[in-house]
Amino acid sequence: MTQVKLDKFCLVAAVAALLALIFPLAGVDGDTGKQVAFVGDIPGLAIAMALCVIAGAAFTWIGVRTIFHAGILLAVVIFGGWQAVDALYEYGVAGYAGLGFWLFIISLWAFVWRAIDVIANYHSLETVKQQSANILVPVAFGVWLLFVWEVVVSGFGVPQVLLPPPSMIGERFVSSMDTMAADFYQTFVKAALSGYVMGCGSAFLVAIAVDRVPFLKRGLLPLGNMVSALPIIGVAPIMVMWFGFDWQSKAAVIVIMTFFPMLVNTVTGLNAAGKLEKDLMATYASGYWSTLFRLRLPAAMPFVFNALKINSTLALIGAIVAEFFGTPIVGMGFRISTEVGRMNIDMVWAEIALAALAGTAFYGAVAYVERKATSWHPSFRVRRH
Amino acid sequence: MTLKQVVDNVAEMPASKKAVVDVKDLSLTFQTTDGPVYALSEVNLTIEEGDFVSFIGPSGCGKTTLLRVIADLEKATGGEISINGVSPEDARQARAYGYVFQAPALLPWRSIESNVTLPLEIMDLSKEERIKRAHDALKLVELNGFEKKFPWQLSGGMQQRASIARALSFDADLLLMDEPFGALDEIVRDHLNEQLLKLWARTNKTVAFVTHSIPEAVYLSSKIVVMSPRPGRIIDVIETKFPKDRTLDIRETPEFLEIAHRVREGLRAGHSNDE
């Protein structure tokens, strides 16, 4: 006889949900002296809690063994989460959440943990299934974090100036789409992208020159190092004086920030080709440019892409920070600095969310191109089989 | 080999053989912080057209260095060397060399086919011509069907064969091979040696071949150059009389063993000098 192994997470979930039904859902309103809400008055929530008890008890016994089981758990969590948010906003629990409510959240938490764990360990030889599992894990995790943020901030009644709930940020994001689009265009498309292209492009060309001319290597590299050590908040106001308030000064700051990582990486990469390969090209009487394009630049690509990835995040940071030192009345950095002053913290958070989305997408795009361009590199080879 | 091919081969053979490599009193000294290193000292050698010359000797005897001087990858510090009557540099510019290194040195971002077409690309051949030649060269080393594979998808022996195909693709006058099979196991090595001999018999190329292995040197060569270190020099040159279409069986003949013995004696004599 094999011993029955109980699923601890589901056990916790079942017990917590059971206690949630017993303990008070909400605290006492100071003015009326009455409890704000009861589980019995909210049928949806009661059903959700009961479902958690049943599912928890069942899976404690049979274990969460398949992806289908995990799917059932996630479905229960989605329904429970919906009911919890409903209770907060429709039944006035927001700001008064009691022990019963938090126990219910703990129960959901245990389910999510267990379900994501199972999905994360899922292995399939079918690429489509494997990829959907790979995507589902971070998405489920992210959605859950947003949910916890929402519930904790509303449940405890955290002041909006300290931390607004994500739903409020989302609402603001959608309702201010026009402003955000203008800010995005100004800061990302005009300043960050052009600065990125100019900084990376010029550094790439200079790196080839540095590699060709030995005295530049001795003279220019230490100088480049010094420029990269300059503090951005010192350089930004000077660039604004030189190049004006518009995007040009921000692009200049980004050029300064991105130049050095690109230069150093490209110079290193140009020396990455092996001695044997260089000798090989020599026996073919291959000229400087032919060897550069056929051997040295391809060999340098992994290094170049490293710099491109580092710079993709630096560029957006540089553009936003530089806008604090003078800008036309548009731009993500400008919006953040003025809306903070007006206590419109939800707008600040909406801009932060926009910056995070843009930065991630930019990085992801560069990483995608890298994988396509250097698929021969050992770090990508394994996935091709 | 059919009768016709034999007749063709005989017909192609010139009355007096042309010297492809001519080396006179060649020496090369590396200046290091520990003082001068005499890599090559007063080397005299002639390699004739169609020869298969093996260089054998212990590490540090300068056999690789000699090959590199021939290929203009190192400059001699004394003496004279001419390739097809011109300097090594001119010969290199004229693309006289097909060099095969110890490692395959295939470019990982190129498929096997485009690795083989690399020298042809540098030499500005037309695309159809490049593809055709790559196809022919890969067929010679029995790698047809692997054109679209990438180097890491092939075994070590196959990679080295691809690098030989690359050296053959542009029809160089002189095939220089620096321990090409050194990293491979005995069986693969025997097999590649057989293929190399067939190739040599078929193309009538001039080959200079560096090796550590006595049986390999005796089996492959028409001429064996025994070298000795400190300073790197030639101590014996042995001509073998085996036919071009020899098989691995000749390794059992008394003639083979006799030559192997002579090579071994030469190597031993070279060693005793510095002990």
Side-chain angles (χ1 to χ4, degrees):
Chain A
M1 275 295 282
T2 51
Q3 206 182 339
V4 177
K5 197 161 171 274
L6 297 180
D7 193 309
K8 293 193 189 73
F9 279 96
C10 292
L11 183 64
V12 168
V15 172
L18 192 64
L19 293 175
L21 280 164
I22 300 164
F23 281 94
L25 178 69
V28 176
D29 191 333
D31 298 333
T32 59
K34 285 188 198 158
Q35 271 198 355
V36 177
F38 297 95
V39 179
D41 300 336
I42 313 170
L45 190 62
I47 293 170
M49 287 181 181
L51 265 178
C52 285
V53 176
I54 296 164
F59 283 114
T60 302
W61 195 249
I62 60 176
V64 189
R65 278 175 312 202
T66 63
I67 208 89
F68 179 66
H69 291 170
I72 295 176
L73 286 191
L74 280 187
V76 169
V77 170
I78 290 168
F79 180 68
W82 170 38
Q83 293 308 323
V85 171
D86 217 32
L88 279 176
Y89 295 124
E90 301 298 323
Y91 294 91
V93 178
Y96 296 97
L99 191 55
F101 184 81
W102 297 122
L103 280 166
F104 179 52
I105 300 299
I106 287 170
S107 168
L108 295 181
W109 196 317
F111 277 144
V112 166
W113 190 298
R114 192 73 188 91
I116 292 185
D117 188 37
V118 169
I119 298 170
N121 285 319
Y122 175 72
H123 292 292
S124 172
L125 291 176
E126 286 175 58
T127 331
V128 179
K129 284 186 181 175
Q130 183 67 57
Q131 276 177 350
S132 4
N134 289 349
I135 293 169
L136 189 63
V137 172
V139 167
F141 201 76
V143 169
W144 173 254
L145 281 183
L146 285 178
F147 172 74
V148 171
W149 175 359
E150 178 84 32
V151 167
V152 167
V153 168
S154 299
F156 284 120
V158 175
Q160 281 164 13
V161 175
L162 288 185
L163 186 63
S167 60
M168 192 175 166
I169 297 168
E171 241 169 71
R172 192 56 189 250
F173 195 104
V174 173
S175 66
S176 315
M177 213 50 128
D178 293 346
T179 324
M180 307 264 290
D183 289 349
F184 176 80
Y185 184 68
Q186 171 75 18
T187 306
F188 189 82
V189 179
K190 276 180 166 176
L193 272 188
S194 57
Y196 179 81
V197 170
M198 284 191 282
C200 293
S202 58
F204 184 76
L205 295 178
V206 170
I208 290 173
V210 162
D211 178 76
R212 183 96 213 242
V213 188
F215 83 82
L216 284 180
K217 201 174 209 159
R218 301 249 177 92
L220 201 71
L221 273 190
L223 214 67
N225 195 351
M226 204 184 74
V227 171
S228 81
L230 296 178
I232 176 178
I233 53 165
V235 174
I238 293 170
M239 291 300 124
V240 170
M241 282 200 283
W242 285 3
F243 298 106
F245 282 107
D246 210 349
W247 62 270
Q248 290 88 344
S249 57
K250 283 79 203 168
V253 170
I254 296 165
V255 168
I256 291 173
M257 284 176 81
T258 56
F259 189 83
F260 191 66
M262 188 70 184
L263 179 67
V264 171
N265 271 291
T266 309
V267 168
T268 311
L270 284 172
N271 291 313
K275 189 177 180 308
L276 223 53
E277 285 78 8
K278 286 184 198 161
D279 280 349
L280 181 76
M281 296 305 266
T283 64
Y284 300 147
S286 168
Y288 169 79
W289 293 106
S290 162
T291 306
L292 183 72
F293 285 111
R294 294 203 171 86
L295 172 65
R296 301 180 68 211
L297 280 181
M301 275 309 132
F303 292 84
V304 171
F305 273 107
N306 247 346
L308 286 176
K309 285 196 287 187
I310 295 169
N311 284 345
S312 72
T313 48
L314 279 183
L316 194 56
I317 296 172
I320 292 174
V321 173
E323 283 182 5
F324 277 62
F325 299 94
T327 172
I329 51 163
V330 63
M332 291 158 76
F334 163 79
R335 197 73 56 205
I336 290 173
S337 65
T338 49
E339 297 297 329
V340 160
R342 292 155 72 181
M343 285 291 181
N344 283 335
I345 303 300
D346 54 343
M347 189 64 197
V348 175
W349 278 97
E351 292 282 355
I352 290 173
L354 177 64
L357 281 177
T360 311
F362 192 16
Y363 184 92
V366 176
Y368 178 78
V369 176
E370 177 188 29
R371 185 167 296 190
K372 290 286 153 201
T374 60
S375 58
W376 51 271
H377 197 257
S379 56
F380 296 125
R381 272 180 210 168
V382 190
R383 297 187 189 113
R384 287 169 59 102
H385 289 293
Chain B
M1 203 181 268
T2 66
L3 185 65
K4 186 181 180 304
Q5 279 172 310
V6 174
V7 172
D8 284 350
N9 276 354
V10 171
E12 277 169 19
M13 233 175 259
S16 65
K17 281 185 175 178
K18 193 178 92 183
V20 178
V21 179
D22 200 8
V23 174
K24 279 197 190 74
D25 294 330
L26 186 85
S27 55
L28 194 159
T29 311
F30 290 113
Q31 300 296 340
T32 70
T33 47
D34 295 337
V37 173
Y38 301 100
L40 290 173
S41 163
E42 298 188 356
V43 170
N44 287 290
L45 178 71
T46 309
I47 299 178
E48 286 164 345
E49 193 171 14
D51 265 353
F52 195 123
V53 181
S54 284
F55 296 89
I56 187 163
S59 313
C61 70
K63 51 196 192 302
T64 296
T65 309
L66 180 54
L67 210 62
R68 290 175 63 83
V69 172
I70 293 173
D72 190 38
L73 295 174
E74 305 281 356
K75 298 268 185 251
T77 48
E80 280 171 37
I81 175 166
S82 69
I83 314 293
N84 288 334
V86 296
S87 73
E89 182 168 2
D90 291 342
R92 183 169 68 87
Q93 296 295 343
R95 276 105 186 204
Y97 307 117
Y99 206 117
V100 180
F101 295 89
Q102 285 174 355
L106 299 169
L107 305 184
W109 51 86
R110 283 171 169 258
S111 68
I112 293 300
E113 183 182 69
S114 65
N115 259 296
V116 175
T117 58
L118 172 73
L120 308 174
E121 220 177 288
I122 295 170
M123 293 162 199
D124 267 338
L125 269 70
S126 73
K127 186 153 189 207
E128 300 88 70
E129 181 69 16
R130 293 204 301 255
I131 302 292
K132 191 188 152 294
R133 286 204 185 193
H135 181 80
D136 293 348
L138 284 171
K139 204 165 183 181
L140 275 179
V141 297
E142 294 176 15
L143 269 183
N144 35 339
F146 292 92
E147 285 88 349
K148 300 298 169 205
K149 295 277 183 202
F150 280 84
W152 75 85
Q153 295 168 316
L154 268 57
S155 70
M158 290 162 97
Q159 289 185 22
Q160 196 55 281
R161 264 148 62 195
S163 86
I164 292 170
R166 180 176 58 186
L168 292 172
S169 66
F170 57 97
D171 217 15
D173 294 339
L174 186 53
L175 203 53
L176 303 169
M177 306 180 93
D178 185 3
E179 291 187 51
F181 311 135
L184 305 173
D185 71 66
E186 200 70 26
I187 305 295
V188 176
R189 201 170 170 152
D190 279 349
H191 180 63
L192 289 181
N193 280 340
E194 271 188 299
Q195 282 190 318
L196 183 58
L197 268 183
K198 276 187 202 151
L199 229 146
W200 175 52
R202 210 175 329 164
T203 59
N204 206 33
K205 283 229 181 298
T206 313
V207 185
F209 189 94
V210 167
T211 180
H212 267 124
S213 152
I214 296 173
E216 190 173 70
V218 180
Y219 172 56
L220 290 173
S221 316
S222 63
K223 194 186 259 182
I224 302 164
V225 177
V226 184
M227 296 182 73
S228 148
R230 279 175 291 271
R233 66 200 185 283
I234 293 175
I235 52 175
D236 197 3
V237 178
I238 307 162
E239 305 247 359
T240 69
K241 298 277 180 277
F242 298 114
K244 274 197 167 186
D245 53 350
R246 61 193 86 165
T247 61
L248 280 168
D249 299 336
I250 66 155
R251 292 194 295 192
E252 317 295 334
T253 62
E255 200 186 355
F256 184 95
L257 295 175
E258 194 186 306
I259 295 171
H261 180 73
R262 192 172 151 193
V263 173
R264 194 179 301 277
E265 286 300 306
L267 288 175
R268 207 168 276 161
H271 258 292
S272 62
N273 281 356
D274 59 321
E275 271 161 7

